[in-house]
């Protein structure tokens, strides 16, 4: 996937004019949020304590990531896997394509993997003459539409049922239907032959267990289980921060991951894959390749943004973010959307490409409140905004405006004077208690919503009157 984060402003303008997009996203994210709230309320134990424990575990892993990765590689290879390490996306693509060619693979079936999206694996395989077919229903839909995922766990969240129905008519030649069971049956029928004839299965990994060299994958459709067991060759692609020390750490992480993602106590399928098929096993690949992708994470690990590497890819921060709910995932211009993407994308792509993304947040803090591993997303976004300014990615007008705002907020008298002036002037623009139009660079506020009119009598003035404080006293 080619990054288009520098087109963020134009992407947002397109997204805001798409009512179908906002309707589809709102419907799904609202459902995820309500299910998460119910799952948290019914959590067996102290949910906040579980979040804190998971956060501390991930921090301890990041402190000794090299040790845990070495242990994982040693144990995986001892059980018959071939482990490859790619320093960047280009090297990862070269390794994956070489494996496919050496194994004589012409068709690969895939289970959803953000890491393969990050390294643009599908495009590389197709260039090498290998057909790569997504088997997760959401991924299958957007592959038919030649689009990228717009959500970490619900890649087709931006599409309505009607759009999916028409897509199946246009691309698969199937009769139009809006019945979800029939749509699922159509996809299943078309994918069945792919599963049975594929030479290689490609998956991601939710966790890498250092103690046993195992790969843990969660899914709700069983496609991941078929991808990893039916084909002769299995290629697992995972970024290096996915490692956890022990198998006994896995249940606690799964309890948080699934509740935060979809509100489920546990997903329908949890697969823990260890090594290649052994004598007596009824199923499983005869060859297992594990591709560990760094792609800039070692550099992040050394700096002040290392906590973003705790991310479990649950999507909870997307679901609750008012910005994501309004513009969807494609507007962010790359693989990772929402608050976590607004931090991770600039770090992986550079601020020259993605300096606008840290601004795509209200800093309300809701994303940090729902993060299962307590990533301080608002703090990281503020740090990135500062770095963007220091590196010259802000216009002189933006810098001057923010300096003026900071100066006003730091001086009570100046702020009070501004409040009184704004209260009077706003009456000229006010209609039924709201301002429908603002001039100059402020018009973006009122393009699609009214601005609340400032009070004629500011709270600060009323408070002084109530307390008998002279107006000139601060």
């Amino acid at each position: 996937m080619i990054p288009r984060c520098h087109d963020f402003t134009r992407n947002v303008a397109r997204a805001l004019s798409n009512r179908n997009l906002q309707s589809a996203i709102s419907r799904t994210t609202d459902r995820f949020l309500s299910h998460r709230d119910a799952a948290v309320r019914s959590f067996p134990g102290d949910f906040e304590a579980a979040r804190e424990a998971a956060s501390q575990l991930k921090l301890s892993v990041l402190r000794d990531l090299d040790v845990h990765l070495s242990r994982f590689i040693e144990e995986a290879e001892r059980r018959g896997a071939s482990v490859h390490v790619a320093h960047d996306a280009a090297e990862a693509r070269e390794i994956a394509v070489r494996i496919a060619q050496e194994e004589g693979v012409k068709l690969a079936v895939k289970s959803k993997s953000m890491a393969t999206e990050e390294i643009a694996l599908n495009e590389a395989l197709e260039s090498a003459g290998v057909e790569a077919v997504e088997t997760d229903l959401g991924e299958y839909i957007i592959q038919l539409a030649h689009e990228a995922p717009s959500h970490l766990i619900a890649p087709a969240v931006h599409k309505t049922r009607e759009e999916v129905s028409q897509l199946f008519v246009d691309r698969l030649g199937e009769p139009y239907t809006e019945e979800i069971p029939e749509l699922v049956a159509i996809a299943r029928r078309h994918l069945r032959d792919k599963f049975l004839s594929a030479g290689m299965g490609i998956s991601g990994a939710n966790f890498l267990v250092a103690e046993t060299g195992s790969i843990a994958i969660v899914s709700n459709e069983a496609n991941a289980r078929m991808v990893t067991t039916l084909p002769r060759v299995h290629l697992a692609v995972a970024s290096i921060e996915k490692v956890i020390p022990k198998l006994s750490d896995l249940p606690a992480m799964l309890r948080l991951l699934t509740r935060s993602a979809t509100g489920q106590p546990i997903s329908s399928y949890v697969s823990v894959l260890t090594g290649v098929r052994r004598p007596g096993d009824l199923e499983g690949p005869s060859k297992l390749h594990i591709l560990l992708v760094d792609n800039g994470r070692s550099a992040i690990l050394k700096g002040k943004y290392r906590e973003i590497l705790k991310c479990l890819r649950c999507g909870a921060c997307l679901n609750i973010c008012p910005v994501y709910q309004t513009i969807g995932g494609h507007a962010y211009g790359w693989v990772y959307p929402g608050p976590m993407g607004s931090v991770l994308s600039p770090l992986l792509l550079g601020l020259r490409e993605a300096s606008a993304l840290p601004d795509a947040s209200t800093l309300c803090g809701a994303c940090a409140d729902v993060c299962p591993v307590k990533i301080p997303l608002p703090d990281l976004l503020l740090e990135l905004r500062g770095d963007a300014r220091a590196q010259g990615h802000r216009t002189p007008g933006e810098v001057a405006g923010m300096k003026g705002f900071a100066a006003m907020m730091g001086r009570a008298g100046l702020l009070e004077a501004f409040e009184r002036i704004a209260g009077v002037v706003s009456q000229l623009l006010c209609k039924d208690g709201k301002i429908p139009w603002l001039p100059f660079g402020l018009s973006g506020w009122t393009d699609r919503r009214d601005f609340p009119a400032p009070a004629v009598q500011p709270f600060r003035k009323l408070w002084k009157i109530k307390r008998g404080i002279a107006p000139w006293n601060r």
Side-chain angles (χ1 to χ4, degrees):
M1 181 178 178
I2 299 173
R4 304 290 299 177
C5 305
H6 57 276
D7 285 335
F8 181 70
T9 304
R10 275 180 285 184
N11 296 341
V12 168
R14 280 195 294 270
L16 290 175
S17 62
N18 188 339
R19 296 297 180 193
N20 279 349
L21 170 76
Q22 286 145 24
S23 173
I25 291 175
S26 175
R27 197 161 48 233
T28 304
T29 54
D30 286 352
R31 187 174 71 248
F32 283 158
L33 285 174
S34 63
H35 289 180
R36 178 197 175 274
D37 290 345
V40 170
R41 286 195 298 273
S42 62
F43 186 77
D46 187 337
F47 189 74
E48 292 305 311
R51 288 178 69 212
E52 180 61 30
S55 174
Q56 292 303 317
L57 174 66
K58 291 293 288 185
L59 283 175
S60 71
V61 169
L62 295 178
R63 277 194 293 270
D64 298 310
L65 188 58
D66 54 341
V67 175
H68 296 299
L69 281 174
S70 296
R71 176 82 187 277
F72 172 80
I73 293 171
E74 178 183 345
E75 295 297 330
E77 291 182 336
R78 195 161 68 85
R79 291 165 172 82
S82 298
V83 183
H84 315 263
V85 179
H87 296 94
D88 55 31
E91 187 178 9
R93 291 193 294 269
E94 186 272 330
I95 293 171
V97 168
R98 175 164 46 81
I99 291 170
Q101 292 174 332
E102 289 175 353
E103 299 291 348
V105 173
K106 295 297 181 185
L107 171 63
V109 284
K110 284 189 66 198
S111 174
K112 183 174 178 298
S113 162
M114 300 308 292
T116 61
E117 295 286 344
E118 180 183 321
I119 64 173
L121 181 58
N122 282 12
E123 293 86 342
L125 288 172
E126 288 170 10
S127 297
V130 179
E131 182 188 4
V133 179
E134 299 287 350
T135 63
D136 174 274
L137 179 59
E139 288 279 339
Y140 182 62
I141 289 168
I142 62 169
Q143 187 177 37
L144 289 176
H146 304 298
E147 295 178 4
S150 66
H151 192 284
L152 296 179
I153 62 168
V157 66
H158 57 291
K159 288 202 170 297
T160 63
R161 183 187 312 182
E162 294 78 10
E163 289 173 327
V164 174
S165 301
Q166 190 58 51
L167 186 66
F168 281 12
V169 173
D170 296 339
R171 300 296 165 82
L172 302 178
E174 295 286 345
Y176 186 89
T177 175
E178 294 179 8
E179 297 298 321
I180 289 178
E182 293 181 24
L183 292 171
V184 173
I186 290 171
R188 184 178 294 147
R189 192 167 62 251
H190 281 268
L191 287 172
R192 182 169 296 135
D193 288 341
K194 303 294 185 183
F195 278 122
L196 295 175
S197 55
M200 183 164 73
I202 302 174
S203 76
N206 292 96
F207 299 99
L208 306 168
V209 183
E211 179 185 41
T212 58
S214 304
I215 302 160
I217 302 173
V218 300
S219 76
N220 279 318
E221 301 178 22
N223 60 314
R225 188 163 290 184
M226 296 174 73
V227 161
T228 56
T229 55
L230 286 178
R232 177 175 56 84
V233 181
H234 173 203
L235 170 62
V237 184
S239 48
I240 57 175
E241 77 275 18
K242 293 294 186 72
V243 69
I244 57 175
K246 299 178 181 177
L247 200 57
S248 58
D249 296 323
L250 185 59
M253 303 304 285
L254 290 177
R255 292 167 77 194
L256 288 172
L257 172 63
T258 56
R259 282 177 169 84
S260 301
T262 57
Q264 295 170 281
I266 192 67
S267 61
S268 301
Y269 300 91
V270 177
S271 302
V272 180
L273 311 166
T274 307
V276 297
R277 183 176 185 171
R278 293 160 297 189
D281 287 349
L282 297 178
E283 57 189 15
S286 56
K287 290 192 177 180
L288 170 60
H289 295 271
I290 302 173
L291 176 53
L292 301 177
V293 180
D294 186 317
N295 202 28
R297 287 168 175 79
S298 292
I300 298 174
L301 193 64
K302 298 173 184 173
K304 56 186 176 183
Y305 298 109
R306 65 160 48 192
E307 289 210 52
I308 192 61
L309 297 180
K310 296 192 299 183
C311 181
L312 302 183
R313 309 286 192 272
C314 67
C317 64
L318 280 64
N319 298 335
I320 206 164
C321 176
V323 177
Y324 176 87
Q325 289 175 345
T326 304
I327 64 175
H330 288 164
Y332 292 82
W334 200 47
V335 181
Y336 302 108
M340 62 78 60
S342 295
V343 175
L344 188 58
S345 296
L347 297 175
L348 295 181
L349 300 172
L351 281 167
R352 179 182 294 276
E353 170 66 35
S355 63
L357 297 190
D359 295 335
S361 169
T362 63
L363 299 181
C364 64
C367 51
D369 290 342
V370 298
C371 177
V373 287
K374 305 183 80 167
I375 299 173
L377 288 162
D379 296 341
L380 300 182
L381 289 166
L382 276 174
E383 285 284 347
L384 278 166
R385 290 182 187 185
D387 285 354
R389 180 196 163 194
Q391 294 179 25
H393 299 296
R394 292 289 181 264
T395 65
E398 288 174 317
V399 174
M402 293 311 296
K403 280 186 175 179
F405 179 74
M408 183 179 66
M409 295 301 289
R411 294 170 174 81
L414 195 57
L415 177 61
E416 189 171 339
F418 175 80
E419 288 172 343
R420 294 189 181 191
I421 293 171
V424 174
V425 173
S426 66
Q427 296 308 304
L428 302 175
L429 306 171
C430 183
K431 183 179 181 181
D432 297 330
K434 295 181 179 178
I435 300 176
W437 176 82
L438 286 172
F440 311 118
L442 301 175
S443 60
W445 283 92
T446 50
D447 280 350
R448 290 172 178 80
R449 61 196 185 284
D450 295 335
F451 190 85
V456 178
Q457 299 285 350
F459 171 78
R460 191 187 299 268
K461 180 180 179 182
L462 296 175
W463 186 80
K464 286 182 177 178
I465 294 173
K466 180 83 173 176
R467 297 297 180 96
I469 301 173
W472 53 84
N473 282 339
R474 307 299 176 205

